[in-house]
Amino acid sequence: MSTNMQQLASASRRTFISRAFGGVGGLALGSMLDQSAIASAMGTPAGLPHFPPTAKRVIYLFMSGGPSHIDLFDYKPVLEQKHGEELPPSVRGDQRLTGMTAGQKGFPVCGPIGNFARHGECETWISDLLPHTSKIADDIAIVRSMNTEAINHDPGITYINTGSQIPGQPSAGAWASYGLGSENQNMPAYVVLLSQGNGKNPGQPIFSRLWGSGFLPSSHQGVMLRSSGDPVLYLNDPAGITRENRREQLDDLAALNRLKFQTSGDPEIETRISQYEMAFRMQAAAPEIADLSDEPAHTFEMYGEDARQPGTYAFNCLMARRMAERDVRFIQLFHRGWDQHVSLQPHLRAQCLDTDRASAALVTDLKNRGLLDDTLVIWGGEFGRTAYSQGALGSGRDHHGRCFSTWMAGGGIQGGISHGQTDEFAYNIAEDGVHIRDLNATMLHCLGIDHERFTYRFQGLDQKLTGVEHARVVKEVLI
């Protein structure tokens, strides 16, 4: 046995812990009381926010697969008038097409499958596929000129969520956690919930790297709550283990980790200590959030009866509101099934039935509770869909990154406005383009962060969520 092991074996438990937690060694236990210690353990930088924020938290409703802007938000009468005619080559230009339609002999214009009408005092055009979203038209800002270079799902969803088409970068939620930390020390700063829609099933794969921390400290990665059973595995202690027993075990484990840190200096050891402490506190906090027994009947009338069923989009929207009430910093819902290459009519309608009521209910519920003013809600996907039909006329639409639509609400966003314009075929940007980098810059701005100054040194570069290319805050949508 080594000298160190002999000393440990001969030391009393109390002496061992007191020595191991000497000096800075009391960080894990002290973090429950000392906010500066929490910031240190989490690797959160000082000096943020840069300016007073308009949003304390973000709820990001991510529609994975590429919802069709043409059928939902970007009304173009020409598409109805020229339905079935060939899309002019001058409109397509030399833009990249996916391998699914590049070989088509023709590109017939496909009009919207729903009917559009003006809604709200703002008289915004919205499809009748979204009757509930139409009712909150005066609360949302629709950006119709979103654009991205990505034309396939994985690069597209990686790009908009991490600022790079190359996997491995930190996610937007991880950046928010790194910059601002958490206001609720019993829950992670970044929480993710998944749902599968009634559109394309299964939808496009959702990889955990989309909420990963990349080169940031791993304490900032998102925590995915499960759709059935315990929200997080091992929330319940094994039979015969009391909370006091668990506390003692964590104390001993933290002491061992602290000794290892003193010899190796690996910052991930401190992250591990803080995450064990977080897990201990989550054992009480997470089940309480997921317990909907205290929700009145009118909540389910608002969100829909699906909100009673864990794993549904409606349930996740209600969970997002409950987490917003408890000051979780960044809440992201991924809803799969928006990839309508075929069966456009039934699948897009099904996706709207899955999401429309609950999305609108979330905004209304936050507003009624006084939470919308400091909660930024974002709805959108990785790109849009083509104005021409893929395959037989009306069968489906291919990917389209040149222009698409996103909406935002609350947290410093003007309600009842539309920003940006596309051409008469909803195929190209006509004015006020908003790149996905601009969307991320605007999100950070609402959180009180200057995206140009918000960096992390890695591989010799000052890395940013918005990357090295130009990005701007879309001030036109801000209050």
Side-chain angles (χ1 to χ4, degrees), residues 46 48 53 68 202 260 277 285 305 422:
L48 290 172
S68 173
K260 181 64 175 177
E277 291 295 324
E305 285 301 309
T422 58

Side-chain angles (χ1 to χ4, degrees), residues 44 118 170 185 319 335 433:
T44 300
R118 293 186 181 273
Q185 301 309 319
M319 286 281 286
H335 186 70

